[in-house]
Amino acid sequence: MSELLQLKAVSKNFGGLRAVNHVDMVVPEKGLYGLIGPNGAGKTTIFNLITGIYEPTEGEIIFDGSLINGLQPHSIAKRGIARTFQNIRLFKELTVLENILIARQAYKKYNIFTAMFRLPGYFKEEKRMKEEAMEILGLLGLADKADYKAGALPYGEQRLTEIARALALRPKLILLDEPAAGMNPAESENLMNLIKRIREEFITTVLLIEHDMKVVMGVCEYIYVLDYGSLISQGPPEVVSKDPKVIEAYLGEQVNA
Amino acid sequence: MIEQLLSNFMSSYQIQILSFIGIFTILAISLDIINGYTGQFSIGHAGFMAVGGYVAAYLTFYHQVPFILATLAGALSAAFFGLLIGIPTLRLRGDYLAIATLGFAEIIRVVLLNLDVVGGARGFAGISNLSNFDTVLIITIISFIVLYNFTRSAYGRALQSIREDEIAAECMGVPTTYFKVLAFVVAAFFAGIAGSLYGHYLMFLHPNDFGLLRSIEILLMIVLGGMGNLWGALLGAIVLSILPESLRNYQGIVYTIAVVYLVGVAISYQKGKQNIARWLAGILIAGLAVGFILIYGKELIIRYAGQMRMIIYSILLILMMIFQPSGLIGLARDLAKPLKERLRGVKA
Amino acid sequence: MEQVVQQIVNGLALGFIYALIALGYSLVYGIIRLINFAHGDIIMVGAYVALFSYLILGVGFVPALLIAMVTCSLLGVTIERVAYKPLREAPRIAALITAIGVSFLLEYGFQLFFGPQQRAFPEFFKTHHYKLGILSVTNEQILILSIAVVLMLLLNFIVMKTKTGMAMRAVSFDKDAARLMGINVDNTISATFALGTALAAAAGMLLGLYYQQIDPLMGFTPGLKAFISAVIGGIGSIPGAMIGGLVLGITEVLVVSLGYSTLKDGVAFLLLILVLLIRPRGIFGEKVVEKV
Ligand SMILES: Nc1ncnc2c1ncn2[C@@H]1O[C@H](COP(=O)(O)OP(=O)(O)O)[C@@H](O)[C@H]1O
Ligand SMILES: [Mg+2]
């Protein structure tokens, strides 16, 4: 297995706060990796660094063999990194289908004049894009919701739509930020099965943030544990779950909460 | 052609109003690309219109360039200015952008006031009458179709994704900066066309026709009609072009108040707030307004027509934003929905 | 050289007035992230209130100033409650459009009721010229400067040292967190509007003294320029608003004294666009990172 994503001594400061501290991480191709840690540990910040929303204060982020820090989010997306957001960020006023189509827009094969005058090839291309989008929706069981406004869907389906939208980019790496948040145990179990399926069917690499340790243990092959911005442990689930440092970090949280 | 047909039963003044509806439709739908679809905020649309109008008129006046070519040149120049003002959008968010566009339009106006070749503060007189109702109609229809297609394509969807959530759009591979600038360029292009139609129709241009008030007027059209919907922009352009005419005499004012009142009732009905107290209060206010106008009538209207119009505009802006942000087109859609469902029920 | 220095002195008075307005803009923007377009028109209302208190009540300068400030505070709070509060959760563009509506309503409402013509502003004092070495200063300029400075110090005190000021800073930093800490967000926003509009009213009166005449549209341009000052200085920053106002006021007076008075208003906008391109957060502004 070759590494797809690599973080080398990455740090991020917000004013005086060091949200991410010298983090080294490797995610190999086709891996299903987890990133866990208590609230405020810096997990989402790491996703924001990988996707180019923030620039690292120090360190290097290497994706698919090239340095990506400093690139704009949309060009990182085009290189093959897609993501979902912890607090869902769908295009609420648009339909589910349109949400998916937007992720496909970079692959459109017509230019602005073809669009404005509906020149030959326009309808064929639109039809092709819609079929592709419907296919993805079908895989996630959302086909019958295609014409609903995304903002009008129930919470669970909004989360699914976000995953569908990310998959529509046909990414090499998909970053999922607490996809099971707010779900009951049965729902999150379903979701974890879906995530396993995604890796098989889309032949992609997955990096998953979860706050709830139990959820990740079942699906991930390898887990990184973050606390106060620093990695405190890593390894296969059975190793990490027995690491006293990890237990302490989570215990600390329970006491605080 | 069509103009001749219309002139059988319409005065030339009425035909002129129809022509202005066309010109303002082009302005409103193009502004809607920036404000309604992309969610940016421009209040400098009149500046683009001025560039298009002056460049085109300069070409036909001094160089006898054919109207269509001159219009195209005007539109392209406006688009170039759209690119220039679009570039600050690389850095600016909503409200800063608003001030920047306003400032930009003001700079254009001040420069035109000082530019002697195009008449400066005296205005640009003697422009040939190269556009009439027919040209306006044809170009308006073409513009509408072109922009409609644009908004329905992957381009339009990309613009809307920026409006909905800029960060999510970026993460989905939408180069938001590029599309924001594109929105400005396309919108400015069409505003430039409208400027050329305007100048060659009126045969006169003055920098002060392109001040903030003009930009606000166009803005109000899309707010009233419903932002992010080209049909709404069209509706807004029609309503706001006729409104000042109906405010010229007092029957018109009374009718306008009645219509506004009915729309208000429809809005509160739609929101399920139709209690009797509100209706009575509404009737009372409308009655007072009508009574006031009947008593002070003509004098007030003649002396303060301009102020009254601006006051009505400003109240409309505020009320629409608070009570009916989706505009008249949104209201029509909401009201039609139960009707449609009932019709469907009958069929089934 | 002497002339230039003299012009700068003249520009200072105008600059301080811009600064006073800019402070109000900055305060309000800081707390609800809204460019309150109507802020400039409050200037005009303030000037009218001062004028009418002089004409009707026959009061002197200080009472007129206080009456104007209090009336405008009430007006500001009312505008906020009626027009902006319902839109606090709506898209920003909606509030911005409403603000434009309020601005036009004030301008043309005043035209309707008080006539569009210019009115002479009372000379509360006899103008004296003082010689300071090579420079000549009038007592009005000194008055404008001192009132502006006093009000700015007062504002700084309120924002930095009082409970209300602390609440204002908390709300502008994070509304939701402030609410959780038990701060009454609505009242704090109202207090901010009251403060900001009171400053605008004072500025209106000083502008009346400066130009010696007032009209219903007098506030719009200074309002915009004050906003530009706030942007130049860095929106949300009190010293920034002051420096921005001075930079703009002096630039403008210099441009006019060089004989380009038609370009005066263009220059402000040019300055704005330059600042936005080169340093969009202004001189003292902090870079904001949106939380994702
Ligand atoms: N844009 C930002 N500005 C300032 N602080 C931030 C920002 N984003 C995150 N933080 C801080 O960084 C820390 C880590 O946050 P985050 O990455 O969201 O944690 P997690 O996702 O692990 O719960 C928190 O203390 C948070 O408040
Ligand atoms: Mg998080």
Side-chain angles (χ1 to χ4, degrees), chain B residues 35 40-41 43 88 91-92 95-96 98-100 102-104 106-107 110 114 167 212-213 216 219 223 227 304 307 310-311 314-315 317-318 321-322, chain C residues 29 33 35 37 82-83 87 92-94 96-98 100-102 104-105 108-109 111-112 220 224 227 231 235 262-263 269-270 272 276-277 280 290 292:
Chain B
N35 288 18
Q40 305 301 297
F41 195 61
I43 40 174
R91 305 273 196 92
L92 301 186
D95 21 24
Y96 282 70
I99 301 285
L102 190 166
F104 194 75
E106 277 301 290
I107 292 173
V110 169
N114 289 286
I167 287 175
L212 178 63
L213 286 186
I216 298 289
L219 175 70
V223 168
M227 282 194 286
Y304 292 115
Q307 282 83 3
M310 290 314 298
I311 288 172
S314 53
I315 292 176
L317 275 176
I318 299 170
M321 278 298 106
I322 296 180
Chain C
Y29 186 90
R33 306 287 130 137
I35 297 180
F37 272 92
V82 174
L87 294 171
R92 290 258 282 288
I93 197 168
L96 216 53
I97 290 171
T98 309
I100 293 175
V102 173
F104 277 55
L105 189 60
Y108 293 95
Q111 281 202 355
L112 189 63
F220 195 80
L224 279 178
F227 177 78
V231 173
I235 213 144
T262 46
L263 295 178
F269 287 112
L270 215 56
L272 170 78
L276 289 177
L277 285 178
E290 192 181 347
V292 177

Coordinates of all heavy atoms in Angstrom, one line a residue, chain B residues 35 40-41 43 88 91-92 95-96 98-100 102-104 106-107 110 114 167 212-213 216 219 223 227 304 307 310-311 314-315 317-318 321-322, chain C residues 29 33 35 37 82-83 87 92-94 96-98 100-102 104-105 108-109 111-112 220 224 227 231 235 262-263 269-270 272 276-277 280 290 292:
Chain B
N35 N -27.0 39.7 -7.7 CA -27.6 39.7 -6.4 C -28.4 38.5 -6.0 O -28.4 38.0 -4.9 CB -28.4 41.0 -6.2 CG -27.6 42.2 -6.2 OD1 -26.4 42.2 -6.5 ND2 -28.2 43.3 -5.7
Q40 N -24.2 37.9 -4.2 CA -23.3 39.1 -4.0 C -24.2 40.3 -3.9 O -25.4 40.2 -4.1 CB -22.3 39.2 -5.1 CG -21.5 38.0 -5.4 CD -20.8 37.6 -4.2 OE1 -19.9 38.3 -3.7 NE2 -21.1 36.4 -3.6
F41 N -23.6 41.4 -3.6 CA -24.5 42.6 -3.4 C -23.9 43.8 -4.1 O -23.0 44.4 -3.7 CB -24.7 42.9 -1.9 CG -25.8 43.8 -1.7 CD1 -27.1 43.5 -2.1 CD2 -25.6 45.1 -1.1 CE1 -28.2 44.3 -1.9 CE2 -26.7 45.9 -0.9 CZ -28.0 45.5 -1.3
I43 N -24.8 47.5 -5.7 CA -25.7 48.6 -5.8 C -25.1 49.7 -6.7 O -25.1 50.9 -6.5 CB -26.1 49.3 -4.5 CG1 -24.9 49.3 -3.6 CG2 -27.2 48.6 -3.9 CD1 -25.2 50.1 -2.3
P88 N -12.1 43.1 -7.1 CA -12.2 43.3 -5.6 C -13.0 42.2 -4.9 O -12.8 41.9 -3.8 CB -12.8 44.7 -5.4 CG -12.6 45.4 -6.7 CD -12.5 44.3 -7.8
R91 N -11.7 39.6 -2.8 CA -11.3 39.8 -1.4 C -12.5 40.2 -0.5 O -12.5 40.0 0.7 CB -10.4 41.0 -1.3 CG -9.1 40.9 -2.1 CD -8.1 40.2 -1.3 NE -6.7 40.3 -1.9 CZ -5.9 41.3 -1.6 NH1 -6.3 42.2 -0.7 NH2 -4.7 41.4 -2.1
L92 N -13.6 40.7 -1.1 CA -14.6 41.4 -0.3 C -15.8 40.5 -0.1 O -16.2 39.8 -0.9 CB -15.1 42.6 -1.0 CG -14.0 43.6 -1.3 CD1 -14.6 44.9 -1.9 CD2 -13.3 43.9 0.0
D95 N -21.1 43.1 2.3 CA -21.4 44.5 2.6 C -20.3 45.4 2.1 O -20.6 46.5 1.6 CB -21.7 44.7 4.0 CG -21.2 43.6 4.9 OD1 -20.2 43.0 4.4 OD2 -21.6 43.3 6.0
Y96 N -19.1 45.0 2.2 CA -18.0 45.8 1.7 C -18.2 45.9 0.2 O -17.9 47.0 -0.4 CB -16.6 45.1 2.0 CG -16.1 45.3 3.4 CD1 -16.7 44.6 4.4 CD2 -15.0 46.1 3.6 CE1 -16.2 44.7 5.7 CE2 -14.5 46.2 4.9 CZ -15.2 45.5 5.9 OH -14.7 45.7 7.2
A98 N -20.8 45.9 -1.5 CA -21.9 46.9 -1.8 C -21.3 48.3 -1.9 O -21.6 49.0 -2.8 CB -23.0 46.8 -0.7
I99 N -20.5 48.7 -0.9 CA -20.0 50.0 -0.9 C -19.0 50.2 -2.1 O -19.0 51.2 -2.7 CB -19.2 50.3 0.4 CG1 -20.2 50.2 1.6 CG2 -18.6 51.7 0.4 CD1 -21.2 51.3 1.8
A100 N -18.2 49.1 -2.3 CA -17.3 49.2 -3.4 C -18.0 49.4 -4.8 O -17.6 50.3 -5.6 CB -16.4 48.0 -3.5
L102 N -21.0 50.7 -5.2 CA -21.5 52.0 -5.2 C -20.5 53.1 -5.5 O -20.7 54.0 -6.3 CB -22.1 52.3 -3.8 CG -23.0 53.5 -3.5 CD1 -23.6 53.3 -2.1 CD2 -22.2 54.8 -3.4
G103 N -19.3 52.9 -4.9 CA -18.2 53.9 -5.1 C -17.8 53.8 -6.6 O -17.5 54.9 -7.2
F104 N -17.7 52.6 -7.1 CA -17.3 52.5 -8.5 C -18.2 53.2 -9.4 O -17.8 53.9 -10.3 CB -17.3 51.0 -8.8 CG -16.6 50.6 -10.0 CD1 -15.2 50.6 -10.1 CD2 -17.3 50.2 -11.1 CE1 -14.6 50.2 -11.2 CE2 -16.7 49.8 -12.3 CZ -15.3 49.8 -12.3
E106 N -20.2 55.7 -8.7 CA -20.0 57.1 -8.5 C -18.8 57.6 -9.2 O -18.8 58.7 -9.8 CB -19.9 57.4 -7.0 CG -21.2 57.5 -6.2 CD -22.1 58.5 -6.8 OE1 -21.8 59.7 -6.6 OE2 -23.1 58.2 -7.4
I107 N -17.7 56.9 -9.2 CA -16.5 57.3 -9.9 C -16.8 57.4 -11.4 O -16.4 58.4 -12.0 CB -15.3 56.3 -9.6 CG1 -14.9 56.4 -8.2 CG2 -14.2 56.7 -10.6 CD1 -13.9 55.4 -7.8
V110 N -18.8 60.6 -11.9 CA -18.0 61.8 -11.7 C -17.0 62.0 -12.9 O -16.9 63.1 -13.4 CB -17.1 61.7 -10.4 CG1 -16.1 62.8 -10.4 CG2 -18.0 61.8 -9.2
N114 N -17.1 65.1 -16.0 CA -15.9 65.9 -16.4 C -15.4 65.6 -17.7 O -14.3 66.1 -18.1 CB -14.8 65.7 -15.3 CG -15.2 66.3 -14.0 OD1 -15.1 67.5 -13.9 ND2 -15.6 65.5 -13.0
I167 N -18.3 28.4 1.3 CA -17.3 27.5 1.7 C -17.6 26.1 1.2 O -16.7 25.4 0.7 CB -17.1 27.5 3.3 CG1 -16.4 28.8 3.6 CG2 -16.3 26.3 3.8 CD1 -16.2 29.1 5.1
L212 N -26.9 56.8 -7.9 CA -27.3 55.8 -6.9 C -28.8 55.5 -7.1 O -29.3 54.3 -7.0 CB -27.0 56.3 -5.5 CG -27.4 55.3 -4.4 CD1 -26.7 54.0 -4.5 CD2 -27.2 55.9 -3.0
L213 N -29.6 56.6 -7.3 CA -31.1 56.3 -7.4 C -31.4 55.3 -8.4 O -32.3 54.5 -8.3 CB -31.8 57.7 -7.6 CG -31.9 58.6 -6.5 CD1 -32.7 59.8 -6.8 CD2 -32.4 57.9 -5.2
I216 N -30.6 51.9 -7.3 CA -31.6 51.5 -6.2 C -32.9 51.1 -6.9 O -33.6 50.1 -6.5 CB -31.8 52.6 -5.2 CG1 -30.5 52.9 -4.5 CG2 -32.9 52.2 -4.2 CD1 -30.0 51.9 -3.5
L219 N -32.5 47.7 -8.2 CA -32.5 46.8 -7.1 C -33.9 46.5 -6.6 O -34.3 45.4 -6.3 CB -31.6 47.4 -5.9 CG -31.6 46.6 -4.6 CD1 -30.8 45.3 -4.8 CD2 -31.0 47.4 -3.5
V223 N -36.0 43.1 -5.9 CA -36.5 42.8 -4.6 C -38.1 42.6 -4.6 O -38.6 41.7 -4.0 CB -36.2 43.9 -3.6 CG1 -36.9 43.8 -2.3 CG2 -34.7 44.0 -3.3
M227 N -36.0 37.9 -5.7 CA -34.6 37.7 -6.1 C -34.4 36.3 -6.4 O -35.0 35.4 -5.9 CB -33.7 38.2 -5.0 CG -33.6 39.7 -5.0 SD -32.2 40.2 -4.0 CE -32.8 39.9 -2.3
Y304 N -45.1 67.2 -4.6 CA -44.2 66.3 -4.0 C -44.1 64.9 -4.7 O -43.9 63.9 -4.1 CB -44.5 66.1 -2.5 CG -44.2 67.4 -1.8 CD1 -45.2 68.1 -1.2 CD2 -42.9 67.8 -1.6 CE1 -44.9 69.3 -0.5 CE2 -42.6 69.0 -1.0 CZ -43.6 69.7 -0.4 OH -43.3 70.9 0.3
Q307 N -40.9 63.0 -4.1 CA -40.7 62.5 -2.8 C -41.6 61.3 -2.5 O -41.2 60.3 -1.9 CB -41.0 63.6 -1.8 CG -39.9 64.6 -1.6 CD -39.9 65.7 -2.7 OE1 -40.8 65.7 -3.5 NE2 -38.9 66.6 -2.7
M310 N -40.3 58.2 -3.9 CA -39.2 57.6 -3.2 C -39.7 57.1 -1.8 O -39.1 56.1 -1.4 CB -38.1 58.7 -2.9 CG -37.4 59.2 -4.2 SD -36.8 57.8 -5.2 CE -35.7 57.0 -4.0
I311 N -40.6 57.7 -1.2 CA -41.1 57.2 0.1 C -41.8 55.9 -0.1 O -41.6 54.9 0.6 CB -42.1 58.2 0.7 CG1 -41.2 59.4 1.2 CG2 -42.8 57.6 1.9 CD1 -42.1 60.5 1.7
S314 N -39.2 53.3 -0.7 CA -38.4 52.9 0.5 C -39.3 52.0 1.4 O -38.8 51.0 2.0 CB -37.8 54.1 1.2 OG -38.8 55.0 1.5
I315 N -40.5 52.4 1.5 CA -41.4 51.5 2.3 C -41.5 50.1 1.7 O -41.5 49.1 2.4 CB -42.8 52.2 2.5 CG1 -42.6 53.5 3.4 CG2 -43.8 51.2 3.2 CD1 -43.9 54.3 3.5
L317 N -39.3 48.6 -0.1 CA -38.1 47.9 0.2 C -38.1 47.2 1.6 O -37.8 46.0 1.8 CB -36.8 48.8 0.1 CG -36.2 49.1 -1.2 CD1 -35.1 50.1 -1.1 CD2 -35.6 47.8 -1.8
I318 N -38.5 48.0 2.6 CA -38.5 47.5 4.0 C -39.5 46.4 4.2 O -39.2 45.4 4.7 CB -38.7 48.7 5.0 CG1 -37.6 49.8 4.8 CG2 -38.8 48.2 6.4 CD1 -38.0 51.0 5.6
M321 N -38.7 43.1 2.4 CA -37.7 42.3 3.1 C -38.2 41.7 4.3 O -37.8 40.5 4.7 CB -36.5 43.2 3.4 CG -35.6 43.4 2.2 SD -34.8 41.9 1.6 CE -35.7 41.5 0.2
I322 N -39.0 42.4 5.1 CA -39.5 41.8 6.4 C -40.6 40.8 6.2 O -40.5 39.7 6.8 CB -39.9 43.0 7.3 CG1 -38.7 43.9 7.7 CG2 -40.5 42.4 8.6 CD1 -39.1 45.0 8.6
Chain C
Y29 N -21.6 48.2 13.1 CA -21.2 47.1 12.2 C -20.5 46.0 13.1 O -20.8 44.9 12.9 CB -20.1 47.6 11.2 CG -19.8 46.6 10.2 CD1 -20.5 46.4 9.1 CD2 -18.7 45.7 10.5 CE1 -20.2 45.4 8.2 CE2 -18.4 44.7 9.6 CZ -19.2 44.5 8.5 OH -18.9 43.5 7.6
R33 N -22.9 43.3 12.3 CA -22.4 43.1 11.0 C -23.3 43.7 9.9 O -23.6 43.0 8.9 CB -22.2 41.6 10.7 CG -21.4 40.9 11.7 CD -19.9 41.3 11.5 NE -19.5 41.6 12.9 CZ -18.3 41.3 13.4 NH1 -17.5 40.6 12.7 NH2 -18.0 41.6 14.6
I35 N -24.0 47.2 7.5 CA -23.7 48.5 7.2 C -25.0 49.3 7.3 O -25.9 49.1 6.5 CB -23.2 48.6 5.7 CG1 -21.9 47.9 5.6 CG2 -23.0 50.1 5.4 CD1 -21.3 47.9 4.3
F37 N -27.0 51.8 6.4 CA -27.0 52.9 5.5 C -27.7 54.2 6.1 O -27.4 55.3 5.7 CB -27.7 52.5 4.2 CG -26.8 51.9 3.2 CD1 -26.6 50.6 3.2 CD2 -26.0 52.7 2.3 CE1 -25.7 50.0 2.2 CE2 -25.2 52.1 1.4 CZ -25.0 50.8 1.4
V82 N -37.6 48.1 14.8 CA -38.7 47.8 13.9 C -38.1 47.2 12.6 O -38.7 46.3 12.1 CB -39.4 49.2 13.5 CG1 -40.4 49.0 12.4 CG2 -40.1 49.7 14.8
A83 N -37.0 47.7 12.1 CA -36.6 47.3 10.8 C -35.5 46.3 10.7 O -35.5 45.4 9.9 CB -36.1 48.6 10.0
L87 N -34.9 40.9 11.0 CA -34.1 40.3 10.0 C -32.7 39.8 10.5 O -31.8 39.5 9.7 CB -33.8 41.4 8.9 CG -35.1 41.8 8.1 CD1 -34.8 43.0 7.2 CD2 -35.6 40.6 7.3
R92 N -27.8 38.4 5.2 CA -27.3 39.7 5.4 C -27.9 40.7 4.3 O -28.2 41.9 4.6 CB -25.8 39.7 5.3 CG -25.2 39.0 6.4 CD -24.6 40.1 7.4 NE -23.4 40.6 7.0 CZ -22.2 40.0 6.9 NH1 -22.2 38.8 7.3 NH2 -21.1 40.6 6.5
I93 N -28.0 40.2 3.1 CA -28.5 41.1 2.0 C -29.8 41.7 2.3 O -30.1 42.8 2.0 CB -28.5 40.2 0.7 CG1 -28.5 41.1 -0.5 CG2 -29.6 39.2 0.7 CD1 -28.2 40.3 -1.8
A94 N -30.7 40.9 3.0 CA -32.0 41.4 3.4 C -31.9 42.6 4.3 O -32.6 43.6 4.1 CB -32.8 40.3 4.0
L96 N -29.4 44.6 4.6 CA -28.8 45.7 3.9 C -29.8 46.4 3.0 O -29.8 47.7 3.0 CB -27.7 45.0 3.0 CG -26.4 45.8 2.8 CD1 -25.8 46.2 4.1 CD2 -25.4 45.0 2.0
I97 N -30.6 45.7 2.4 CA -31.7 46.3 1.5 C -32.6 47.1 2.4 O -33.0 48.2 2.1 CB -32.4 45.2 0.7 CG1 -31.5 44.6 -0.3 CG2 -33.7 45.8 0.1 CD1 -32.1 43.4 -1.0
T98 N -33.0 46.5 3.6 CA -33.8 47.3 4.5 C -33.2 48.6 4.9 O -33.8 49.6 5.0 CB -34.1 46.4 5.7 OG1 -34.6 45.1 5.2 CG2 -35.2 47.0 6.6
I100 N -31.1 50.4 3.3 CA -31.2 51.3 2.2 C -32.6 51.9 2.2 O -32.8 53.1 2.1 CB -30.9 50.7 0.9 CG1 -29.4 50.3 0.8 CG2 -31.2 51.6 -0.3 CD1 -29.1 49.5 -0.4
G101 N -33.6 51.1 2.5 CA -35.0 51.6 2.5 C -35.2 52.6 3.6 O -35.7 53.7 3.4
V102 N -34.6 52.3 4.8 CA -34.8 53.2 5.9 C -34.1 54.6 5.6 O -34.6 55.7 5.9 CB -34.1 52.6 7.2 CG1 -34.1 53.7 8.3 CG2 -34.9 51.4 7.7
F104 N -33.6 56.0 2.7 CA -34.4 56.7 1.7 C -35.7 57.3 2.4 O -36.1 58.4 2.1 CB -34.8 55.9 0.5 CG -33.7 55.9 -0.5 CD1 -32.4 55.5 -0.1 CD2 -33.9 56.2 -1.8 CE1 -31.4 55.5 -1.0 CE2 -32.9 56.2 -2.7 CZ -31.6 55.8 -2.3
L105 N -36.2 56.5 3.3 CA -37.4 56.9 4.0 C -37.2 58.2 4.8 O -37.9 59.1 4.7 CB -37.9 55.8 4.9 CG -39.3 56.0 5.5 CD1 -40.4 56.1 4.4 CD2 -39.6 54.8 6.4
Y108 N -36.4 61.2 2.2 CA -37.5 61.8 1.4 C -38.7 62.1 2.3 O -39.5 63.0 2.0 CB -37.9 60.9 0.2 CG -36.8 60.9 -0.8 CD1 -35.8 59.9 -0.7 CD2 -36.6 61.9 -1.6 CE1 -34.7 60.0 -1.6 CE2 -35.5 62.0 -2.5 CZ -34.6 61.0 -2.5 OH -33.5 61.1 -3.3
G109 N -38.8 61.4 3.4 CA -39.8 61.8 4.4 C -39.5 63.3 4.9 O -40.4 64.1 5.0
Q111 N -37.9 65.5 3.3 CA -38.2 66.4 2.1 C -39.7 66.7 2.1 O -40.1 67.9 1.8 CB -37.7 65.8 0.8 CG -36.3 65.9 0.6 CD -36.0 65.7 -0.9 OE1 -36.8 65.5 -1.7 NE2 -34.7 65.9 -1.3
L112 N -40.5 65.7 2.3 CA -41.9 65.9 2.2 C -42.4 66.8 3.3 O -43.2 67.7 3.1 CB -42.6 64.5 2.3 CG -44.1 64.5 2.1 CD1 -44.4 64.8 0.6 CD2 -44.6 63.1 2.3
F220 N -26.3 61.8 3.5 CA -25.9 60.6 2.8 C -24.4 60.5 2.4 O -23.8 59.6 2.7 CB -26.8 60.5 1.5 CG -26.7 59.1 0.9 CD1 -27.5 58.1 1.5 CD2 -25.8 58.8 -0.1 CE1 -27.4 56.8 1.0 CE2 -25.8 57.6 -0.6 CZ -26.6 56.6 -0.1
L224 N -21.6 58.0 3.9 CA -20.7 57.1 3.1 C -19.3 57.3 3.3 O -18.5 56.4 3.5 CB -21.0 57.3 1.6 CG -22.3 56.6 1.0 CD1 -22.4 56.9 -0.4 CD2 -22.2 55.1 1.3
F227 N -18.3 55.9 6.5 CA -18.1 54.4 6.4 C -16.7 54.1 5.7 O -16.0 53.2 6.2 CB -19.2 53.8 5.5 CG -19.0 52.3 5.3 CD1 -19.3 51.5 6.4 CD2 -18.4 51.8 4.2 CE1 -19.1 50.1 6.2 CE2 -18.2 50.5 4.0 CZ -18.5 49.6 5.1
V231 N -13.7 51.9 7.2 CA -13.0 50.8 6.5 C -11.5 51.1 6.4 O -10.7 50.2 6.6 CB -13.6 50.6 5.1 CG1 -12.8 49.6 4.3 CG2 -15.0 50.2 5.2
I235 N -12.5 48.4 10.3 CA -13.9 48.5 10.9 C -13.9 47.8 12.3 O -13.2 46.7 12.5 CB -14.9 48.0 10.0 CG1 -16.2 48.7 10.2 CG2 -15.2 46.5 10.1 CD1 -17.0 48.9 8.9
T262 N -14.6 69.1 -8.2 CA -15.6 68.2 -8.8 C -15.2 66.7 -8.5 O -16.0 65.8 -8.6 CB -15.8 68.3 -10.3 OG1 -14.5 68.4 -10.9 CG2 -16.6 69.5 -10.7
L263 N -13.9 66.5 -8.3 CA -13.4 65.1 -8.1 C -13.5 64.7 -6.6 O -13.2 63.6 -6.3 CB -12.0 65.0 -8.6 CG -11.9 65.2 -10.1 CD1 -10.4 65.0 -10.5 CD2 -12.7 64.1 -10.9
F269 N -14.0 57.5 -2.8 CA -14.2 56.1 -3.2 C -13.0 55.5 -3.8 O -12.8 54.3 -3.7 CB -15.4 56.1 -4.3 CG -16.7 56.4 -3.7 CD1 -17.4 57.6 -3.9 CD2 -17.2 55.5 -2.8 CE1 -18.6 57.8 -3.3 CE2 -18.5 55.7 -2.2 CZ -19.2 56.9 -2.5
L270 N -12.2 56.3 -4.5 CA -10.9 55.7 -5.0 C -10.1 55.2 -3.9 O -9.5 54.1 -3.9 CB -10.2 56.9 -5.8 CG -9.4 56.4 -7.0 CD1 -10.3 55.7 -8.0 CD2 -8.8 57.7 -7.6
L272 N -11.1 54.3 -1.0 CA -11.7 53.1 -0.5 C -11.3 51.8 -1.3 O -10.9 50.8 -0.7 CB -13.3 53.2 -0.5 CG -14.0 51.9 -0.2 CD1 -14.0 51.7 1.2 CD2 -15.4 51.9 -0.8
L276 N -9.3 48.6 0.0 CA -9.9 47.3 0.0 C -9.0 46.3 -0.8 O -8.9 45.2 -0.5 CB -11.3 47.3 -0.7 CG -12.3 48.0 0.2 CD1 -13.7 48.1 -0.6 CD2 -12.5 47.3 1.5
L277 N -8.3 46.9 -1.8 CA -7.5 46.0 -2.6 C -6.2 45.7 -1.9 O -5.7 44.6 -2.0 CB -7.2 46.6 -4.0 CG -8.3 46.6 -5.0 CD1 -8.0 47.3 -6.3 CD2 -8.7 45.2 -5.3
P280 N -7.6 44.9 3.0 CA -9.0 45.0 3.1 C -9.4 45.1 4.6 O -10.5 45.6 4.9 CB -9.5 43.7 2.5 CG -8.3 42.9 2.1 CD -7.1 43.7 2.2
E290 N -13.2 32.8 9.4 CA -14.6 32.3 9.6 C -14.4 30.9 10.2 O -13.6 30.1 9.7 CB -15.4 32.2 8.3 CG -16.8 31.9 8.6 CD -17.6 31.9 7.3 OE1 -17.1 32.3 6.2 OE2 -18.7 31.4 7.3
V292 N -15.3 27.1 10.6 CA -16.1 26.2 9.8 C -16.4 24.9 10.6 O -15.6 24.4 11.2 CB -15.2 25.8 8.6 CG1 -15.9 24.8 7.7 CG2 -14.9 27.0 7.8

